[in-house]
């Protein structure tokens, strides 16, 4: 039963905010009658809301329940003052990601109104090999996860995406030595991602990243990025 | 069944992040065996996580599902650039709240490290009569909600909390006329809350507020607060 409810709620995504009952049933692989009954119950506890045309969307109540006790909130609260200062300097995107399964999950993103293109979204995911935050998390991930990513399929976003296993393996070693990664044009030719680790004790618990225009000045933000990550690491450690 | 799952997840709050199975059962008013079985299923879909001592907490996966399609995300994303600028000027707390039931629910809060005391939390709630954001939302709420709050019990936090129905009714009229409210010492004697409405078309959809020290300079932030709210209103309207 919990699995069915999870399948219903997982239909809703960044691009599918408002979905009809029949579409929920189709995507969750449930009979329309079953989906309809579950949706009715989810509406009654406020986890879903009815929208125009009887379509449904995620309710504010679900966000509240999930957020107030979320394990991500203390990290995010510790990080925000440093992210704001960094963002004031960078004036493009500043973001915080954690390892979730075999992807990076973004907990927070600060963006300027005229910033460079960025595929990252709050509560959105990107593959580990292609994104700068992902590479930092992968470099410090358990060996078996690294091997699984190095052996698996690696999606190519542009001709610059780092899909070659040997090149990626060398990059992961560089990240552990140098403490940062820079990914010009890996996801969009116009943008460069740069990321550094955030630590708690000895463990890497998150990646702090920026997305800036893909030009020769991108590297200049690295010192500010590293300083912000050190500040967050200190804030979460006490 | 959905109601039971909702009762289990609603046990977890800002102050009860990690809870034992027997405590979940007690607070959700379920048999331990029932709670235990539901928790096991919730862990299997990643909505709960096991912690030290087999206690449980909300899982990152639930936050992800609830956040990525949350109806609050577009408003929050439109508001953030203006909130950051306002926060850079105010250097205390800047927060965004919406009406949920008979309370204000806070979607976002930006705080400086040495800011004045503030009871507001992200995904936390406050009563409408006592908080500045709540008063703004109440002033523009349906008449029946206003009457219910004016007739009901109104909690007193300090000797300054606006609990008197006649005084509160006059304040709501003032807010509609003046476009802001100022609440010195209503929730904590050391702090002053000030809030203004955020509109979408003609409707008030949120309140933008600051919490600053309770002194004679508090009022000086009102023009910056109003300008930020106008900016957010413009950003959400297109």
């Amino acid at each position: 039963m919990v699995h069915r409810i999870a399948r219903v709620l997982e239909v809703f995504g960044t691009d599918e905010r408002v979905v009809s009952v029949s579409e929920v049933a189709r995507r969750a692989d449930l009979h329309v009658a079953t989906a309809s009954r579950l949706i009715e119950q989810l509406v009654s506890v406020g986890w879903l809301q009815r929208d125009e045309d009887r379509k449904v969307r995620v309710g504010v109540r679900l966000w509240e329940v999930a957020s107030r006790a979320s394990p991500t909130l203390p990290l995010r609260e510790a990080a925000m003052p440093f992210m704001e200062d960094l963002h004031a300097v960078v004036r493009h995107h500043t973001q915080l990601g954690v390892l979730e399964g075999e992807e990076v999950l973004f907990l927070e993103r600060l963006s300027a109104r005229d910033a460079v293109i960025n595929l990252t979204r709050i509560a959105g995911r990107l593959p580990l090999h292609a994104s700068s935050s992902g590479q930092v998390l992968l470099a410090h991930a358990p060996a078996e996860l690294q091997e699984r990513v190095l052996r698996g399929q690696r999606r190519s976003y542009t001709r610059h995406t780092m899909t070659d296993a040997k090149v990626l393996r060398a990059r992961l070693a560089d990240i552990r030595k140098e403490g940062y990664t820079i990914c010009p044009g890996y996801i969009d030719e116009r943008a460069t991602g740069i990321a550094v680790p955030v630590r708690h004790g000895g463990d890497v618990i998150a990646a702090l990243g920026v997305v800036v225009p893909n030009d020769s000045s991108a590297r200049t933000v690295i010192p500010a990025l590293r300083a912000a990550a050190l500040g967050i690491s200190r804030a979460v450690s006490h």
Side-chain angles (χ1 to χ4, degrees), chain A:
Chain A
M1 180 59 151
V2 171
H3 286 86
R4 286 179 179 186
I5 294 168
R7 267 150 62 197
V8 167
L9 290 178
E10 281 171 11
V11 164
F12 299 87
T14 319
D15 298 314
E16 301 86 27
R17 295 176 168 274
V18 184
V19 185
S20 70
V21 173
S22 58
E23 186 66 13
V24 170
R26 197 183 63 75
R27 294 204 212 171
D29 196 20
L30 294 169
H31 287 290
V32 172
T34 309
S36 184
R37 188 169 38 78
L38 286 176
I39 286 168
E40 197 168 312
Q41 291 180 47
L42 288 163
V43 168
S44 76
V45 295
W47 288 9
L48 291 178
Q49 294 172 343
R50 300 259 180 214
D51 219 81
E52 68 274 16
D53 310 327
R54 309 259 311 149
K55 289 186 176 180
V56 282
R57 58 191 308 158
V58 167
V60 176
R61 189 86 192 103
L62 183 63
W63 174 84
E64 180 184 2
V65 168
S67 298
R68 67 182 181 201
S70 168
T72 66
L73 202 53
L75 168 61
R76 189 234 171 240
E77 295 232 290
M80 274 301 272
F82 299 97
M83 290 182 69
E84 282 184 70
D85 291 347
L86 181 62
H87 181 234
V89 174
V90 174
R91 297 314 294 176
H92 283 276
H93 309 277
T94 304
Q95 51 208 37
L96 184 72
V98 295
L99 185 65
E100 254 294 294
E102 301 193 7
E103 290 164 306
V104 49
L105 172 68
F106 290 98
L107 303 185
E108 187 52 81
R109 185 185 87 163
L110 300 179
S111 301
R113 270 157 280 174
D114 54 351
V116 71
I117 187 163
N118 180 4
L119 261 71
T120 309
R121 285 168 163 174
I122 294 169
R125 291 171 175 246
L126 281 176
L128 295 173
H129 71 280
S131 61
S132 57
S133 297
Q135 286 192 349
V136 164
L137 294 168
L138 185 58
H140 298 278
E144 63 266 27
L145 176 58
Q146 292 184 13
E147 291 311 316
R148 204 150 61 234
V149 171
L150 287 164
R151 273 199 318 269
Q153 289 281 355
R154 287 175 301 281
R155 176 178 168 192
S156 183
Y157 289 83
T158 71
R159 66 203 164 90
H160 304 291
T161 309
M162 191 174 279
T163 52
D164 185 83
K166 221 158 119 190
V167 176
L168 179 58
R169 190 185 291 276
R171 170 65 63 96
L172 298 181
D174 280 350
I175 291 170
R176 286 186 293 267
K177 201 169 64 188
E178 307 291 344
Y180 72 91
T181 189
I182 177 162
C183 303
Y186 285 20
I187 292 185
D188 186 289
E189 305 237 351
R190 290 162 286 179
T192 293
I194 311 176
V196 300
V198 173
R199 291 170 197 273
H200 180 62
D203 300 330
V204 171
I205 56 165
L208 181 69
V210 295
V211 177
V212 295
N214 184 358
D215 61 33
S216 59
S217 70
R219 284 188 168 271
T220 59
V221 308
I222 296 174
L225 184 59
R226 299 181 79 156
L230 289 172
I232 298 170
S233 298
R234 205 171 48 241
V236 293
S237 296
H238 84 216

